[in-house]
Amino acid sequence: MSAQPSKTSPSQAAALEVEGLSKSFNGFRAVRDVSFTVPQGSITGFLGPNGAGKTTTLRMALGIIRPDSGSARLFGEPPTTRAMDRVGFLPEERGVYRKMTAEAVITLFARLKGVPAGIARTRARAALDQFGLGASGQKKIKELSKGMAQKVQIIAALIHEPDFIILDEPFSGLDPVNQALLEQMIREQAAAGRTVLFSTHVMEQAERVCDRIVLMARGQKIFDGKVDEALAVVPRVVTIGVASGDDHTELLSRFGAVERGEADPDGNAVWKVTLNAGVNPQHVLKACVEAGVKLTRFEPVRPHLHDAFVRLVSNPQDVRPLETV
């Protein structure tokens, strides 16, 4: 689907503001006092394992279910029908009319959002082509594979060119090629000035695509900020190869916890340093060069969002400022 600039002039308010949302079901607290803001024009990942409370929070934010406490605002106002007209929502539970054709389903969703019939059909055909479904437009949904039906529902959520796109586990059921296509589509929508919020339990997808993330665990928010800020909670690790068998523990321990590993296939000694907070890998490299250490390898290990999530779940208070690289 082409990422045309939205015809609706977005207000200056955040696309979504959630404040103190809580919800219980039969005595079980599914969501506990969750607050966050989705800035307009951002790609925000709403992350956490299955059962973390992501879907319940999104449903409360959109007015689909009533919270026990707290509030939500879309474009600065409650989630009214008028505000929802500017939203494209892909729910976690997939469901389109199985006896309708793919083109008819997409056209219907566009018409429900006020798109004129001719324009709706033209957009539907173009979007089907873009997602590799051009030859399947006249097939009924029940005749399509699970992944193909999933793509039809994604298109249906975007067909009215909404200002704010909310996708609940959008990558589920898609093969790697179509996951990459969806990631590219998300980037294109953001480049066109639209706001994207998507929930997922797959950290790698969010790390590749998102500007910001909100991490959930056990119904609570445990992190809210930029991806780099989340990665900064993971201690940096440097792996060092040394040509000699000399003991460099004293030199390296100035910078963090030191482990000596097995020699590499060429017989070089291998050291791993888990850096202290505030230590830059370049500090270690400079000290080694100045000490005349014969390096055969110097490899800072890049942290990943999965590592940050595990650490934050275990130590939710462990959020430190970004360090200078």
Side-chain angles (χ1 to χ4, degrees), residues 161-309:
E161 298 183 348
D163 292 316
F164 185 21
I165 300 164
I166 302 176
L167 308 173
D168 195 354
E169 295 287 353
F171 298 96
S172 176
L174 297 181
D175 60 40
V177 172
N178 284 305
Q179 287 183 13
L181 180 63
L182 180 56
E183 289 181 12
Q184 181 59 32
M185 180 277 296
I186 289 172
R187 294 186 187 96
E188 290 174 353
Q189 295 295 319
R194 300 190 179 107
T195 307
V196 182
L197 170 67
F198 70 89
S199 74
T200 182
H201 61 278
V202 182
M203 300 294 155
E204 292 84 354
Q205 292 161 346
E207 188 173 344
R208 287 193 297 266
V209 178
C210 292
D211 308 317
R212 303 178 55 84
I213 57 171
V214 177
L215 292 178
M216 295 279 290
R218 298 181 293 275
Q220 296 177 290
K221 182 185 77 173
I222 60 172
F223 180 84
D224 179 2
K226 296 179 180 179
V227 173
D228 284 348
E229 293 170 339
L231 295 176
V233 308
V234 181
R236 296 186 180 189
V237 175
V238 175
T239 300
I240 300 170
V242 181
S244 70
D246 296 341
D247 189 345
H248 298 291
T249 303
E250 183 177 353
L251 171 67
L252 298 175
S253 61
R254 294 158 42 194
F255 304 102
V258 179
E259 298 177 46
R260 184 165 182 172
E262 297 291 331
D264 66 19
D266 295 323
N268 299 308
V270 176
W271 298 81
K272 185 176 82 169
V273 185
T274 301
L275 303 182
N276 295 328
V279 175
N280 188 294
Q282 295 300 317
H283 299 158
V284 184
L285 178 60
K286 180 181 179 182
C288 289
V289 172
E290 290 178 347
V293 177
K294 296 180 180 179
L295 297 175
T296 61
R297 174 184 177 192
F298 188 86
E299 182 182 339
V301 179
R302 181 179 179 274
H304 292 284
L305 202 51
H306 174 80
D307 305 316
F309 178 76

Side-chain angles (χ1 to χ4, degrees), residues 23-30 32 68:
K23 185 67 179 179
S24 296
F25 297 100
N26 298 321
F28 173 72
R29 296 194 69 187
R32 307 181 185 188
D68 296 334

Side-chain angles (χ1 to χ4, degrees), residues 69-152:
S69 60
S71 62
R73 292 180 294 278
L74 286 170
F75 306 106
E77 62 181 68
T80 60
T81 301
R82 182 179 67 174
M84 285 298 295
D85 282 344
R86 299 173 61 186
V87 175
F89 177 49
L90 176 74
E92 182 182 28
E93 294 82 5
R94 311 304 185 222
V96 290
Y97 301 104
R98 292 179 54 77
K99 294 183 179 181
M100 293 178 66
T101 66
E103 182 180 313
V105 165
I106 297 166
T107 301
L108 173 62
F109 274 78
R111 297 287 288 124
L112 291 173
K113 290 291 189 176
V115 180
I119 296 175
R121 283 192 294 271
T122 299
R123 287 186 188 176
R125 291 165 185 163
L128 285 165
D129 285 339
Q130 182 180 356
F131 274 77
L133 295 174
S136 302
Q138 299 308 313
K139 289 185 179 180
K140 294 180 179 180
I141 298 299
K142 65 181 181 180
E143 299 171 340
L144 301 178
S145 68
K146 179 181 177 181
M148 294 169 72
Q150 164 81 340
K151 289 197 285 185
V152 170

